Each structure stands twice: as C-alpha cells, then as structure tokens.
C-alpha cells in the first residue's frame, strides 16, 4: 500500500480513516454506539478508548478523513459548525482581540459579539476583502484573524494568502471557515492559514440529514488545546452523525464539482435575465473577486450563488414561491437545490439586500433547474 500522504484526494476520500473491520470483515464500517469501554484486569484500555466523549472509533474515522482531505495533521470533530467555531474562539484569552469579517456567518458574528465579549475577548468587524482595512486593524492585541471566503450570502472573496502573511507578521493566528469552498476548491493551509473550520452540516454531510462541525490544524500544540476543549466542553458529535458524514465524504469531490459547474451555468443564465438586477458569484468575470477567484479557487467557485431581483422583497418572495424544484429552506450543500430569502432569516439587523435570493445548487440536471428559474421569473 502506498503511503497515505502520497495518495490523491479521491483516494483519501474513500480510504482515509477506513479499514476493513478485523473482527467481522465488514467492508462498510460499523457504527460504534458504545458509550464506555472495558478495562483489562491490569486497568489498561486494550483499544485505547475509555469513554465516548473522550474518543470513539466512529468519530476517529471521521476525524482522520477530514484531516487527510484538508491536508492538516489532525481534525477535531464537533456536534455542529457553531460548536467548532466556538472551539477556535476558546483559544483566545481574555484581553485579546479577534478580527472578523463584517460579512461573517451570522451565528459566528453573534458568538463573538454576544458570548465572547462577555468573556473579555474583543472583536473588530472589518471589510476583509480590503487588505488595507486588515492592515489598519492590526495591533498587538489581535491574536486571531477569522476569514470566511466566499462570504455568505454575497459571495465576496478574501485573500487568504495576503491576510495570513499580514497576521503572521503581527503574531496572530489565522482561521479560515472553509465551509462554502470545501477542500475540493480551496486549500487554506497551502495559502498560509493555521486553522481550518467547517460546518460539516453543509457539503461534508451533503444530504441535509446530519449535523456536525470540524476544526482542522497542522500543529500538535494547537491540536492538544483543541482536544482538551473538545472533551471538556463536550460539544461532540454522536456516532451516527459521524458515520453519515464520513460516508458522504467519499463522494465530496464528485458532488462539489458537479454543483460548482451547475452554479456557474446558472449564474451565467441569471446574469442575462431582464428581471435580475445583479448576480453574486465569483465565477462570473463581472464579480469584483473574479481575479482572486482564479488564483484561490482555480477549480470552481462552489455551489452557492445569490441574485437580486429587479424589485423589492415582495417580488423576491413571489419568485421563490413559484419555484417547483428549488425547496424554500435555509442551509446549503445538500443534493437538493434550495432557495432562501436571506435577509429575513438573518433577522432585523441584517444588512443583506431585501431583493436578494440565495441559491444552493444540488445535483439535479442543470437544464431542469434553469427551466424552473425561467418559469418562476416570468412576469
Ligand atoms: C452553517 C454555517 C456555520 C454554522 O454551522 P452549523 O453546522 O449550522 O452550526 C458556520 N459557517 C458557515 C459558513 C456556515 O454556512
């Protein structure tokens, strides 16, 4: 068997963290539901497991696979993306400061402004797409720079390489939320990030039926701190969710490539539609982040795009109501296409335009999706 580190992404998706069960010959791994493990007469744990929250075989398999796909030394799995982002923030000490994008996932921003602030961790929200703004916000108290690219729901891009170099000059760690791009399309470690965070609920799970999160690192001391937090704070995923997500990772690349190709076709279609005011997708030459996309996401820009209708919130709702193949629901990354009026899910403080609809493109045939949009956009 060749060394695992020399294997290609597709091969790792199938094999990393996956061994034939030596007790049964099972080709598909078992779901290990046990919460506790027998000790030998001498008090030792024969298989290295003692209690489910500390570690368990199903979670370990998932963690090994995520680490391999993201190109990190270890992944630490959590019960949700929110639990994973909070784990990263737990690395920041009181009195220190986090720089985060103004256009952060709303739950991430809320953790910083409403929970971490109470622990004495400061946060400044800036325009991360503007490297001058990042430079201006740097100071010795900044210990963590949070990047989320492409952003949600405007699909703006931040330059992971440039921001990481700047942060490291100032002694700060960089964490990239890679949920939208996935390691299929964007490689934050190769660009300089120290930590990669995922909501596994989205593309990793990929079928809208499992919740999870992960923090990936490339450094043993960061792993040690995160492992301590994982078992102590206890926001760990259940074995069956780990099993579902590990299973879905086998098809991650095929799914994301297909979703990304369809999204580009749909973006091109919408961009010429008379009832569409604007399309937000970095794969379009008209997008302000397009040249950065070509370097940072050379194989595609992902399966999420947004567009503004030529009209108000009422028209946006009317278009969403007419769609038959797109389901009106929040979330993204599943096999089924979804549409969402983002401003109303983000709440009264949302800065998202009221005429904006966000699409998560699934695995349906792109011609069927375009026909559905065509009929829904008819006056
Ligand atoms: C969904 C999401 C999260 C939060 O993840 P949950 O699994 O819902 O807790 C964080 N970041 C991004 C970009 C997301 O899309």
């Amino acid at each position: 068997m060749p060394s695992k580190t020399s294997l290609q992404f597709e091969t790792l998706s199938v094999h990393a963290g996956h061994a034939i069960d030596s007790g049964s010959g099972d080709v598909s791994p078992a779901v290990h539901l046990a919460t506790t493990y027998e000790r030998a007469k001498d008090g030792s744990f024969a298989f290295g497991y003692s209690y489910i929250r500390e570690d368990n075989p199903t979670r370990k398999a998932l963690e090994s696979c995520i680490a391999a796909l993201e190109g990190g030394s270890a992944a630490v799995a959590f019960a949700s993306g929110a639990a994973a982002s909070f784990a990263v923030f737990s690395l920041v000490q009181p009195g220190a400061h986090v720089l985060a994008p103004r256009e952060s996932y709303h739950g991430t921003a809320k953790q910083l402004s409403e929970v971490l602030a109470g622990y004495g961790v400061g946060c400044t929200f800036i325009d991360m797409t503007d490297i001058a703004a990042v430079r201006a916000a740097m100071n010795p108290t900044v210990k963590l720079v949070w990047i989320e690219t492409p952003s949600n729901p405007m699909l703006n891009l931040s330059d992971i390489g440039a921001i990481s170099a700047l942060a490291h000059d100032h002694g700060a760690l960089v964490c990239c939320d890679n949920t939208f791009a996935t390691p299929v399309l964007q490689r934050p470690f190769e660009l300089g990030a120290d930590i990669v965070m995922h909501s596994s609920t989205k593309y990793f799970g990929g079928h809208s039926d499992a919740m999870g999160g992960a923090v990936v690192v490339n450094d043993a001391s960061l792993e040690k701190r995160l492992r301590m937090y994982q078992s102590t704070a206890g926001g760990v995923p259940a074995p069956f969710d780990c099993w579902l997500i590990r299973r879905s990772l086998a098809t991650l690349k095929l799914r994301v490539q297909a979703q990304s190709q369809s999204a580009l076709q749909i973006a091109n279609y919408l961009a010429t539609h008379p009832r569409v005011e604007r399309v937000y997708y970095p794969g379009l030459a008209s997008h302000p982040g397009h040249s950065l996309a070509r370097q940072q996401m050379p194989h595609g820009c992902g399966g999420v795009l947004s567009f503004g209708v030529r009209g108000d919130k009422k028209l946006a709702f009317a278009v969403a109501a007419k769609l038959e193949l797109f389901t009106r629901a929040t979330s993204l990354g599943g096999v089924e296409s979804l549409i969402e009026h983002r401003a109303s899910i983000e709440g009264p403080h949302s800065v998202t335009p009221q005429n904006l609809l966000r699409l998560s493109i699934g695995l349906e045939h792109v011609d069927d999706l375009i026909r559905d949009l065509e009929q829904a956009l008819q006056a």
Side-chain angles (χ1 to χ4, degrees):
M1 174 111 174
S3 135
K4 287 237 160 138
T5 52
S6 69
L7 296 173
Q8 302 280 337
F9 192 96
E10 293 85 340
T11 313
L12 292 169
S13 305
V14 174
H15 289 281
H18 184 151
I20 302 295
D21 188 296
S22 60
S24 64
D26 282 2
V27 169
S28 161
V31 191
H32 292 267
L33 296 173
T35 57
T36 188
Y37 298 84
E38 188 184 34
R39 289 178 83 162
K41 288 184 178 160
D42 66 0
S44 65
F45 292 96
F47 300 95
Y49 300 105
S50 61
Y51 182 63
I52 185 172
R53 175 159 38 78
E54 298 286 330
D55 201 2
N56 68 81
T58 312
R59 189 173 89 204
K60 200 191 215 44
L62 173 67
E63 291 179 335
S64 305
C65 189
I66 293 175
L69 295 185
E70 198 58 79
S73 59
V76 184
F78 291 93
S80 65
S85 55
F86 204 85
V88 177
F89 297 142
S90 80
L91 299 169
V92 185
Q93 302 298 312
H97 220 89
V98 179
L99 285 190
R102 204 169 282 150
E103 201 195 330
S104 296
Y105 175 73
H106 65 118
T108 306
K110 206 166 165 186
Q111 287 185 347
L112 287 164
S113 58
E114 298 192 19
V115 186
L116 270 296
Y119 295 167
V121 173
C123 182
T124 306
F125 293 97
I126 58 168
D127 178 2
M128 262 308 151
T129 67
D130 176 5
I131 195 73
V134 183
R135 189 176 294 112
M138 276 297 171
N139 70 61
T141 68
V142 174
K143 299 296 176 202
L144 176 70
V145 178
W146 190 268
I147 302 174
E148 186 184 320
T149 183
S151 72
N152 176 24
M154 311 291 274
L155 287 302
N156 286 316
L157 297 199
S158 302
D159 187 333
I160 301 170
I163 295 169
S164 298
L166 198 56
H168 293 158
D169 281 348
H170 290 80
L173 288 172
V174 173
C175 178
C176 179
D177 181 337
N178 207 26
T179 301
F180 269 45
T182 81
V184 175
L185 302 175
Q186 182 168 274
R187 314 284 307 168
F189 284 130
E190 290 167 20
L191 298 165
D194 305 285
I195 305 172
V196 177
M197 174 258 156
H198 279 277
S199 166
S200 312
T201 317
K202 315 294 169 53
Y203 288 101
F204 280 10
H207 298 72
S208 310
D209 57 8
M211 185 171 64
V215 181
V216 196
V217 293
N218 230 336
D219 173 273
S221 78
L222 280 177
E223 183 195 355
K224 195 165 163 224
R225 289 164 71 191
L226 288 162
R227 289 265 172 237
M228 190 282 287
Y229 176 88
Q230 179 191 39
S231 63
T232 308
V236 292
F240 189 53
D241 286 336
C242 293
W243 188 90
L244 282 170
I245 295 165
R246 170 64 191 87
R247 172 190 168 130
S248 296
L249 287 176
T251 56
L252 179 70
K253 187 164 183 177
L254 291 171
R255 286 185 283 110
V256 169
Q257 279 177 336
Q259 287 162 316
S260 190
Q261 277 163 19
S262 295
L264 178 60
Q265 263 180 271
I266 290 169
N268 275 311
Y269 163 75
L270 290 171
T272 60
H273 200 289
R275 298 196 85 198
V276 172
E277 180 191 79
R278 187 167 163 194
V279 180
Y280 305 85
Y281 190 66
L284 293 181
S286 59
H287 187 278
H290 184 65
S291 65
L292 178 57
R294 293 179 66 149
Q295 300 163 36
Q296 192 164 275
M297 309 181 77
H299 306 299
C301 293
V304 176
L305 69 145
S306 298
F307 67 100
V309 295
R310 238 177 246 293
D312 55 7
K313 176 178 174 176
K314 213 170 125 224
L315 180 64
F317 267 88
V319 169
K322 275 205 219 160
L323 286 164
E324 286 164 11
L325 288 174
F326 287 83
T327 302
R328 289 176 302 280
T330 192
S331 200
L332 57 112
V335 297
E336 59 291 289
S337 293
L338 304 179
I339 185 160
E340 179 178 43
H341 184 257
R342 196 66 204 158
S344 51
I345 200 100
E346 289 177 345
H349 304 299
S350 169
V351 293
T352 300
Q354 291 291 335
N355 69 341
L356 181 140
L357 291 165
R358 189 187 77 183
L359 301 177
S360 169
I361 304 304
L363 291 177
E364 303 91 341
H365 197 288
V366 66
D367 293 349
D368 291 335
L369 295 176
I370 289 176
R371 252 197 309 274
D372 196 23
L373 287 162
E374 178 84 42
Q375 64 80 18
L377 283 164
Q378 245 151 46

